[in-house]
Amino acid sequence: MTPSELLIEEFSRIQGYVGATLKNATVATLTYRADADANTIAWLTWHLSRLQDDHIADLAGTEQVYTEQGWAERFDLPFEPKRIGYGFTSAEVADVRADADLLGGYYDAVHTVTLAYLASLSAADLDRVVDESWTPAVTVGVRLASVLSDDLQHAGQAAFVRGLADRAGA
């Protein structure tokens, strides 16, 4: 297995987790909050998609799927399209309201672009430095590992919240 094939396998697992969490979910389920300030499935899914989109676009030197393919307009959120969820207030988390088709459609579009980028990578590409402001400098491989880690955490959190929402009858 090549490094590219391994990365494709790992990112494809995220798509499966996202799809399972969104399956048959209502907007009430997607916006359920375990407490007044908890993250929702909608926000977690939107955020992990935005994070992946932002970072893959940066690595590939392309425009983000969110803006290029019109997803920002479809979501119609009350904040700048360049925002990806870092530092959001509780109120901003609550502003991310979307149905499962919109959330899943955006994630799937990001996933398609991600796979195309990953398929283009050689093992040597993973050592290319992309951010020298850290010690050690961040490489493509380290950045992809970071995206995988964040996305897997958020996908797991969304699945957990789905279980809570289902039990609460949301």
Side-chain angles (χ1 to χ4, degrees):
M1 179 178 274
T2 67
S4 177
E5 291 168 338
L6 176 62
L7 288 164
I8 288 168
E9 173 66 25
E10 287 299 313
F11 275 94
S12 295
R13 288 174 186 229
I14 296 167
Q15 184 185 38
Y17 302 145
V18 168
T21 299
L22 296 177
K23 186 176 181 179
N24 300 320
T26 65
V27 173
T29 300
L30 296 170
T31 57
Y32 171 81
R33 293 182 104 164
D35 69 31
D37 293 320
N39 292 332
T40 66
I41 297 165
W43 183 83
L44 288 162
T45 304
W46 174 84
H47 171 60
L48 75 84
S49 302
R50 289 292 298 123
L51 171 80
Q52 185 173 326
D53 189 8
D54 175 77
H55 286 36
I56 296 297
D58 184 58
L59 292 174
T62 60
E63 187 174 342
Q64 294 179 22
V65 170
Y66 195 64
T67 50
E68 183 180 50
Q69 295 183 14
W71 293 99
E73 289 81 16
R74 285 178 245 179
F75 276 94
D76 193 30
L77 298 173
F79 35 81
E80 293 295 317
K82 68 181 177 183
R83 297 197 61 204
I84 64 171
Y86 285 127
F88 268 32
T89 65
S90 180
E92 288 172 318
V93 168
D95 283 339
V96 180
R97 297 183 59 84
D99 65 27
D101 288 340
L102 183 61
L103 290 163
Y106 175 48
Y107 182 79
D108 287 346
V110 170
H111 182 68
T112 297
V113 169
T114 299
L115 293 187
Y117 172 70
L118 296 174
S120 75
L121 292 177
S122 69
D125 291 329
L126 298 176
D127 293 328
R128 179 173 58 90
V129 172
V130 295
D131 187 348
E132 294 182 352
S133 67
W134 296 89
T135 304
V138 176
T139 63
V140 170
V142 168
R143 180 62 45 84
L144 290 170
S146 175
V147 172
L148 275 169
S149 176
D150 284 358
D151 279 3
L152 286 167
Q153 288 182 66
H154 291 317
Q157 291 163 355
F160 178 76
V161 175
R162 174 67 192 260
L164 294 176
D166 288 349
R167 287 179 184 202

